[in-house]
Amino acid sequence: MIKKLKNKKYKIFFLILYILLFIPNCFSIYYSVPASDDFAMTLGRSNYSNIFAEFFSAVQYFWTERGGTIFGFIIELIINPLNAHIHLGHIYGIYMIIAFLICMFCILLGVNRIIKYVFSVENDSFISAVITFMIAVMLIENYYYVEAYNWYVGMIAYPFVIAIMFLNFYFTLEFSTNGKKKNFIAMLITGIVVANTTAFDIPLGIFYLYIVLIKKGFNNRIDNIIKRYIPLIVYIFVGLITVIAPGNFARQSQYTEAVSLGTSIRQTVADVQFFGMAIIKERPVTLVIAAILVILGFAIQSGKSKKPGNIVLYAVASVCVWLGCLLPYVYGRGMTRTYLDVRMQYVFDFLFEISLCIGCVMLGQWIGYFVKTNLEKVGYILAAVMTVLGVAAVFVTGRYATTVSYEIYAKRAEIVASYDMWNGILLEIENSPNDDVVVDRDYNVPWNKYFLYSGMEPGEVYAVDLDAFYDSQQILPNVYYKKNSITINYPR
């Protein structure tokens, strides 16, 4: 049955599924306006002699005052769509839709490669495609990360880095499989970029150690044991440079009083427990997909004598990844309560959900290993039945109303209205002949989490030094629009 489906037609089938899955997100992203740090991370201020002088001044400023993620800062400055200094309307949304799709493609490319490698299904593209799509559904339908999808700077700082990390995983596994030098070079370059963001240092290092130590994928490619660890040494070196950047300490002092590392570790554990359980208990598709993946893992393993991967070691590594991605954020922000910015929740949720899904397949493999009878076909039939029943249960219980796709559909009018309001405000600021601009609106649109607002609060006067790159208290729309001051009045 499965062999008959192994042809190119299934690729068209999955393409249609992915289009349907991504359309709601793309709708929301399309109705985006510049927000928050987008204004600050632009080039073209009139107070600088030329754009090159401004660029290097900005890089120096962010390194000394904002943090060590220098690659991210450089990318944000160079390819920022606001560098045009012309309000672009829906082009902002189109720009970020393209970025969103590229990031998701890279993430799923890496996930698919991991599945093939870890579960030894290199020659079964259909099964790996099914598992990858199940993971994609969990990633997309469980929550919507407006600060990462609808915010240009958020996109570069979070989805972009995760995408590069999964590209690194892809190239690492490709080199482990075929030993081609180009894959090694690509692995090294992508790893350096990822290591420059502290939230991803631990996930990057753990994955590399898993391939080198546990799966021993490099043994047949690099004979010298010292040479095998050169990429890891490079990643650690870049990570250390990132951590000791003076901007980290300057920025930490802006948020709160310093807290001890022990307090931050305890808070990180609490965060992992709270947000991890929320994914399992509160989000409708998690348990359905988890059950399907366990059955698929059973079917993959059924009838095979080779032991599956070490699930206990995998669980320990996964927990270390979850803790490792959050600890720099919790410690750097001095967090003492269970709270994550949406953009940081995106990082945790993606790593948690992907590792959870892979763990479910591995659990199913172990069940199949202990059940000695070959029930492969039965397993695939059960997976299909569970898919139908799971979808039916989500609709019958009304939980479909909590999925991202439905919520965007239900709030589509508010999303469009929010865009119309803020697009009009920004156009009025841009076209105003006055140096001190006042914009008045006698209405507001109800808040919803599928539209990211510009960040300009009613009655607040935005009038900071035109020479400034970034202000810790305010965004800088007046710098961007070259106005002395901007005031917007609208009802809360």
Side-chain angles (χ1 to χ4, degrees):
M1 176 186 67
I2 297 299
K3 289 182 179 180
K4 292 180 180 179
L5 294 173
K6 293 178 182 178
N7 54 60
K8 292 183 179 180
K9 291 182 179 179
Y10 82 82
K11 295 181 179 179
I12 298 175
F13 172 71
F14 279 107
L15 177 61
I16 294 172
L17 290 180
Y18 277 114
I19 290 173
L20 294 175
L21 179 64
F22 291 148
I23 279 177
N25 282 50
C26 291
F27 175 87
S28 177
I29 297 171
Y30 180 69
Y31 291 96
S32 300
V33 294
S36 215
D37 290 7
D38 292 344
F39 292 103
M41 300 297 296
T42 58
L43 298 173
R45 293 165 174 80
S46 58
N47 288 24
Y48 287 84
S49 58
N50 59 67
I51 198 169
F52 296 103
E54 181 183 3
F55 171 76
F56 288 110
S57 295
V59 170
Q60 179 186 11
Y61 171 83
F62 286 114
W63 173 261
T64 57
E65 298 295 333
R66 301 299 296 172
T69 55
I70 199 69
F71 292 133
F73 293 144
I74 289 173
I75 293 170
E76 287 169 356
L77 289 167
I78 291 177
I79 65 171
N80 192 338
L82 276 71
N83 283 339
H85 283 270
I86 300 172
H87 186 68
L88 301 175
H90 280 304
I91 293 178
Y92 293 121
I94 294 172
Y95 186 99
M96 285 185 286
I97 286 173
I98 294 171
F100 165 74
L101 294 176
I102 290 174
C103 288
M104 287 305 304
F105 173 81
C106 292
I107 291 169
L108 297 176
L109 179 70
V111 168
N112 185 265
R113 192 67 188 85
I114 292 170
I115 291 167
K116 289 182 177 181
Y117 187 86
V118 173
F119 300 125
S120 300
V121 290
E122 298 278 358
N123 299 319
D124 200 334
S125 296
F126 181 78
I127 292 303
S128 64
V130 170
I131 296 173
T132 302
F133 181 73
M134 291 290 179
I135 294 174
V137 172
M138 185 178 287
L139 297 177
I140 294 297
E141 292 296 350
N142 269 338
Y143 199 79
Y144 186 82
Y145 309 92
V146 64
E147 291 180 9
Y149 294 156
N150 293 47
W151 179 17
Y152 166 74
V153 174
M155 174 73 74
I156 299 300
Y158 298 94
F160 172 78
V161 184
I162 285 190
I164 298 298
M165 184 173 71
F166 276 92
L167 270 185
N168 172 269
F169 295 167
Y170 173 84
F171 289 123
T172 301
L173 296 178
E174 283 291 293
F175 178 75
S176 299
T177 303
N178 56 41
K180 292 183 178 179
K181 187 177 181 179
K182 65 178 183 180
N183 290 322
F184 183 85
I185 295 173
M187 174 194 73
L188 196 60
I189 294 173
T190 53
I192 288 172
V193 174
V194 174
N196 190 226
T197 302
T198 54
F200 303 99
D201 286 337
I202 298 300
L204 178 69
I206 286 178
F207 181 84
Y208 189 86
L209 288 174
Y210 176 79
I211 298 303
V212 175
L213 281 179
I214 310 304
K215 295 294 285 187
K216 300 180 179 179
F218 276 31
N219 285 10
N220 296 329
R221 309 301 171 191
I222 304 178
D223 295 331
N224 189 305
I225 189 171
I226 297 177
K227 290 183 178 180
R228 288 179 198 157
Y229 291 94
I230 288 177
L232 182 63
I233 294 171
V234 172
Y235 301 160
I236 292 173
F237 177 73
V238 174
L240 288 175
I241 292 177
T242 303
V243 170
I244 64 175
N248 289 321
F249 305 100
R251 191 172 186 178
Q252 186 178 33
S253 66
Q254 296 172 3
Y255 287 121
T256 183
E257 294 183 4
V259 299
S260 68
L261 181 59
T263 299
S264 294
I265 291 174
R266 289 190 293 273
Q267 183 58 54
T268 302
V269 172
D271 288 340
V272 168
Q273 180 182 7
F274 178 83
F275 288 99
M277 290 306 297
I279 291 171
I280 296 173
K281 293 169 58 178
E282 299 175 10
R283 302 185 186 174
V285 300
T286 299
L287 293 180
V288 173
I289 291 177
I292 295 169
L293 292 177
V294 170
I295 297 172
L296 283 175
F298 171 84
I300 291 170
Q301 182 65 33
S302 189
K304 296 181 176 67
S305 58
K306 182 181 178 181
K307 278 189 176 182
N310 189 327
I311 194 168
V312 175
L313 185 61
Y314 174 80
V316 172
S318 296
V319 172
C320 290
V321 166
W322 305 336
L323 294 172
C325 80
L326 288 185
L327 181 58
Y329 165 86
V330 173
Y331 181 64
R333 295 284 295 269
M335 301 294 293
T336 56
R337 63 189 179 99
T338 302
Y339 167 82
L340 295 176
D341 290 317
V342 173
R343 51 194 180 277
M344 196 62 218
Q345 187 178 338
Y346 165 88
V347 174
F348 172 76
D349 281 6
F350 266 48
L351 293 178
F352 184 91
E353 291 172 13
I354 290 170
S355 54
L356 175 66
C357 289
I358 293 174
C360 287
V361 178
M362 194 175 290
L363 175 62
Q365 281 189 303
W366 275 102
I367 296 172
Y369 176 77
F370 287 116
V371 178
K372 300 300 182 182
T373 308
N374 188 342
L375 299 173
E376 179 183 6
K377 292 183 179 180
V378 174
Y380 288 127
I381 293 172
L382 283 176
V385 172
M386 176 58 70
T387 301
V388 174
L389 292 178
V391 172
V394 168
F395 276 90
V396 170
T397 59
R399 297 298 300 277
Y400 69 90
T402 63
T403 62
V404 168
S405 291
Y406 183 83
E407 284 196 327
I408 291 177
Y409 171 79
K411 295 181 180 296
R412 63 194 185 281
E414 292 178 5
I415 294 170
V416 174
S418 297
Y419 170 83
D420 289 339
M421 175 180 171
W422 282 99
N423 183 62
I425 289 173
L426 295 177
L427 279 172
E428 187 171 336
I429 295 171
E430 180 183 51
N431 295 324
S432 174
N434 301 320
D435 290 330
D436 296 293
V437 181
V438 178
V439 178
D440 294 306
R441 293 290 186 272
D442 60 1
Y443 69 95
N444 198 355
V445 180
W447 177 89
N448 75 81
K449 64 183 178 181
Y450 298 104
F451 179 86
L452 186 66
Y453 303 85
S454 73
M456 288 183 271
E457 295 295 326
E460 187 76 50
V461 179
Y462 295 92
V464 295
D465 186 356
L466 290 179
D467 190 50
F469 283 106
Y470 195 98
D471 184 274
S472 61
Q473 301 301 317
Q474 299 174 329
I475 62 176
L476 303 175
N478 61 300
V479 175
Y480 179 77
Y481 289 111
K482 296 181 174 61
K483 304 295 184 181
N484 290 334
S485 68
I486 295 174
T487 306
I488 300 178
N489 299 308
Y490 60 90
R492 290 187 180 275

